Amino acid sequence: MKRIRKAVLPVAGLGTRFLPATKAVPKEMLTVVDRPVVQHVVDEAREAGIEHFIFVTGRGKAVIEDHFDIAFELDHTLQARGKTAAYEELKKDLPKAGQTSFTRQQAPLGLGHAVWCAREIVGDEPFAVLLPDMLSRGCMGQMLAAYEQHGGNIIAVEEVKPEETHQYGIVGVGETFGQTFEITGMVEKPKQGTAPSNFIISGRYILQPEIFSILERGETGAGGEIQLTDAMIRLAEQQKFYGMRYDGRTYDTGSKIGFLTANLAYGLERPELADALKAEIRALLGDV
């Protein structure tokens, strides 16, 4: 069983839900407290042991590549002014040489197409996919533990209310093994009352490389796009898929309420910010 070394991050999306903020700034570079969303996602993967980050970008996303590169002028200025702590923080976040790759998705043809664009860099080995909108700290570490137990393909899942299942991709639940279970089927946004469970696909995957030969067919699904879920359904005819119940909370920073909630949650965890932030929240709510 090959180790998971590489992660694909599809960052070519236009971020239309956050216009006009994302007209000139990629949605992945919007900040949760003082770190870009995409940096939080990379932090999660690095902590889990991922070694190589493959960014599938598009036009107007060069600033993401710049973020994960040395900024000589900035580094020099920080050192010259004695701002050692800030300089060391930037240095700590910087991936090592050769640990990042960037490839273009020239047309917005869907998540499945974005993953397929990374095929030459991933090669013939299993890999992770992390949706950069979704902040799920510790999730990739839990998934790698599940992979070591089962192998195959792993999908992170979370429970939602039954009346909300029509908004998500849903998995069917088979034999259960503690935090994980065998997936018996997948369906994208089922009609209300028809979902096989209330476990949603939550934006973290471990996939075998055979997914690329399925995606290469270019078969389109919902919205006329090449859907990753459709390809996983096909792959599930040949290989095992397991669901892993994520022990934590995911913040969908692609939605306004999710983005605001993430800023509050992450801010409240910072000792130097928590008390002042709580006071501001109470003042806004009129509780003081």
Side-chain angles (χ1 to χ4, degrees):
M1 188 169 65
K2 292 183 179 179
R3 190 166 61 89
I4 308 299
R5 302 185 308 112
K6 299 178 180 179
V8 175
L9 291 87
V11 294
L14 296 176
T16 53
R17 289 188 289 177
F18 267 91
L19 287 171
T22 50
K23 180 180 178 180
V25 178
K27 63 176 181 176
E28 297 84 8
M29 293 301 295
L30 298 178
T31 58
V32 170
V33 188
D34 55 4
R35 300 172 76 76
V37 170
V38 69
Q39 180 70 64
H40 285 289
V41 176
V42 168
D43 290 345
E44 173 199 342
R46 286 176 71 180
E47 289 169 8
I50 297 296
E51 301 170 358
H52 192 148
F53 303 91
I54 304 164
F55 298 87
V56 182
T57 70
R59 286 185 296 278
K61 298 297 182 95
V63 67
I64 297 175
E65 188 168 353
D66 291 340
H67 177 74
F68 290 102
D69 197 0
I70 291 174
F72 174 78
E73 296 85 353
L74 177 59
D75 289 350
H76 177 74
T77 301
L78 291 175
Q79 289 176 295
R81 295 180 179 178
K83 296 184 180 295
T84 306
Y87 170 73
E88 292 297 331
E89 185 70 18
L90 290 178
K91 186 177 177 181
K92 181 187 70 175
D93 289 341
L94 194 66
K96 294 179 181 178
Q99 286 190 329
T100 57
S101 297
F102 296 82
T103 187
R104 285 288 186 103
Q105 182 187 23
Q106 286 93 345
L109 298 179
L111 176 58
H113 181 260
V115 171
W116 179 77
C117 288
R119 67 198 182 282
E120 298 291 344
I121 305 172
V122 171
D124 187 25
E125 59 183 283
F127 62 102
V129 177
L130 297 93
L131 301 191
D133 288 343
M134 314 300 284
L135 296 189
S136 305
R137 285 182 300 183
C139 184
M140 186 50 56
Q142 295 175 35
M143 292 190 71
L144 290 176
Y147 177 76
E148 290 174 3
Q149 179 182 2
H150 299 291
N153 303 270
I154 312 289
I155 300 175
V157 299
E158 294 182 56
E159 284 190 86
V160 299
K161 297 176 181 178
E163 59 270 23
E164 298 175 356
T165 53
H166 66 286
Q167 304 174 44
Y168 304 96
I170 305 294
V171 301
V173 179
E175 186 176 0
T176 299
F177 313 92
Q179 191 179 355
T180 60
F181 58 85
E182 188 173 339
I183 290 176
T184 57
M186 290 171 264
V187 59
E188 187 68 32
K189 296 182 179 180
K191 293 182 180 179
Q192 284 189 323
T194 66
S197 75
N198 63 331
F199 284 105
I200 68 168
I201 299 172
S202 63
R204 297 287 185 272
Y205 314 79
I206 291 175
L207 298 171
Q208 296 296 320
E210 288 78 13
I211 195 79
F212 291 125
S213 61
I214 298 173
L215 292 169
E216 190 169 5
R217 302 170 190 171
E219 297 174 355
T220 58
E225 297 182 338
I226 300 171
Q227 299 290 346
L228 184 60
T229 300
D230 293 341
M232 291 192 299
I233 291 171
R234 292 290 184 89
L235 186 58
E237 297 171 1
Q238 311 162 26
Q239 298 181 0
K240 291 283 190 182
F241 271 76
Y242 297 91
M244 186 220 67
R245 299 178 179 90
Y246 168 48
D247 182 15
R249 177 173 178 179
T250 294
Y251 300 96
D252 178 6
T253 63
S255 71
K256 294 181 178 68
I257 190 64
F259 178 76
L260 293 171
T261 304
N263 269 281
L264 289 173
Y266 281 50
L268 289 170
E269 293 174 359
R270 297 274 289 268
E272 76 277 19
L273 299 175
D275 289 343
L277 182 54
K278 289 176 184 177
E280 293 291 350
I281 293 171
R282 288 193 294 268
L284 288 171
L285 293 175
D287 293 338
V288 294

